[in-house]
Amino acid sequence: MPKRLLGLLLVLPALAVIAFLFILPLIMSAVGAFQVEGAFGWGNFTKTFDLYTKDIVFTVVIVSLSTVLIGIASVAIGGYLTLGEHPVAVAILRWLYRWPMFIPFIVVGQILRTFLSKNGMMNNTFINLGLLTPLDAVSFLDWRGIVIAFVWKQTPFVALLVAGAMASINRDTIEAARNLGASRLRLLLEIVVPQVAMTLTVGLILSFVTMMSVLSVPLMINAQSPTMLTADIAFRVNSYGDYGVANALGLISLVLAASVAWIYLRASLKERA
């Protein structure tokens, strides 16, 4: 048997899985978004924007804010692992920061429900320390809880990429800047971060797309309006069986995620030019 034919046969099962489980459902969902009572039209999108414009804006704001905070936290962690001078603190941070990466989103949602509710662990701790009275206790189970969940869960993933990229930087430039009197913050922002900018961008884009697809966290932490698009899609399917609007919401989510990927591709092509 020719080697090319043998190679094609080996990859054929994987291609079939991708075609039938990902590409075909995507095409059917995109077509279904434009079907209204057996005909093609914009009715599903009109209904979607009438009912869920606030949720679309809410989703973009929450995911964008979380992405920015993840970037700041990842640079801080990676920077301390690279430039930190206290070996014990560096070893403890290196051991601790990866833990949330191995916790599923649904567990993160349940943990934060227990921690951030009005009678949760956070408020009870502050009350027992005398820093807060029971009447002043407030619940964080709203947009703040979603942002905390996303940042806590995704920061280790981006920090792992950024820390690895920072570790591979030529130390001569860092030592030269340090000998000239540059502070650690200036070293981080002006010497280290520019050299790992592309790795940081890739990690943040992957995190953005991941957060756009999370269902469990918004359902468990903030199911009231406004909420995220994933919760709206589940609601339209489970409560009304309205696959047309659900497909339209899914297509809008895909466009939002694809726009971020397009930014990355343009930056990548510009860098290689």
Side-chain angles (χ1 to χ4, degrees):
M1 180 179 294
K3 289 184 178 180
R4 289 186 177 181
L5 181 59
L6 179 61
L8 184 61
L9 289 176
L10 288 174
V11 300
L12 199 56
L15 289 175
V17 169
I18 292 173
F20 285 101
L21 297 184
F22 294 97
I23 297 177
L24 184 59
L26 175 62
I27 294 173
M28 293 176 66
S29 178
V31 173
F34 293 95
Q35 286 183 329
V36 183
E37 297 178 354
F40 286 97
W42 294 93
N44 290 324
F45 288 94
T46 303
K47 192 174 180 180
T48 296
F49 284 109
D50 287 342
L51 295 176
Y52 298 113
T53 298
K54 286 184 179 178
D55 290 357
I56 294 171
V57 175
F58 179 81
T59 301
V60 173
V61 171
I62 290 294
V63 175
S64 300
L65 176 61
S66 301
T67 303
V68 171
L69 295 178
I70 289 169
I72 294 172
S74 301
V75 168
I77 292 173
Y80 192 78
L81 292 177
T82 304
L83 304 174
E85 297 175 352
H86 196 299
V88 176
V90 170
I92 292 174
L93 180 61
R94 182 177 289 118
W95 183 64
L96 280 179
Y97 86 90
R98 304 176 188 179
W99 282 24
M101 192 165 57
F102 303 100
I103 301 175
F105 271 108
I106 192 168
V107 180
V108 172
Q110 180 56 32
I111 290 173
L112 291 182
R113 278 197 69 83
T114 306
F115 186 74
L116 298 175
S117 66
K118 187 173 183 178
N119 297 315
M121 181 179 171
M122 181 182 71
N123 285 331
N124 284 331
T125 302
F126 288 150
I127 291 171
N128 290 330
L129 292 175
L131 302 175
L132 194 69
T133 65
L135 291 177
D136 294 329
V138 295
S139 171
F140 276 61
L141 298 179
D142 49 21
W143 67 271
R144 293 169 293 187
I146 298 178
V147 171
I148 292 171
F150 284 161
V151 173
W152 188 66
K153 178 71 175 70
Q154 286 300 118
T155 294
F157 169 70
V158 182
L160 187 64
L161 296 177
V162 171
M166 288 181 177
S168 64
I169 293 176
N170 187 350
R171 301 284 302 187
D172 292 343
T173 56
I174 297 175
E175 295 303 327
R178 183 173 285 164
N179 291 336
L180 291 173
S183 64
R184 274 191 289 180
L185 181 60
R186 192 171 180 184
L187 277 175
L188 178 64
L189 297 180
E190 297 184 9
I191 303 295
V192 177
V193 171
Q195 297 186 62
V196 301
M198 186 53 68
T199 302
L200 177 63
T201 304
V202 172
L204 292 179
I205 288 173
L206 292 176
S207 292
F208 186 96
V209 175
T210 300
M211 290 185 287
M212 285 292 299
S213 65
V214 174
L215 172 62
S216 56
V217 169
L219 277 181
M220 298 179 73
I221 292 180
N222 179 43
Q224 66 268 23
S225 181
T227 188
M228 296 189 66
L229 291 181
T230 49
D232 292 331
I233 293 172
F235 177 74
R236 297 305 303 186
V237 172
N238 295 329
S239 299
Y240 294 106
D242 187 356
Y243 285 90
V245 172
N247 286 330
L249 287 167
L251 201 57
I252 290 170
S253 298
L254 177 63
V255 170
L256 292 174
S259 63
V260 179
W262 178 77
I263 294 172
Y264 162 70
L265 289 174
R266 279 184 61 86
S268 179
L269 291 174
K270 189 176 180 180
E271 186 181 73
R272 293 179 182 178

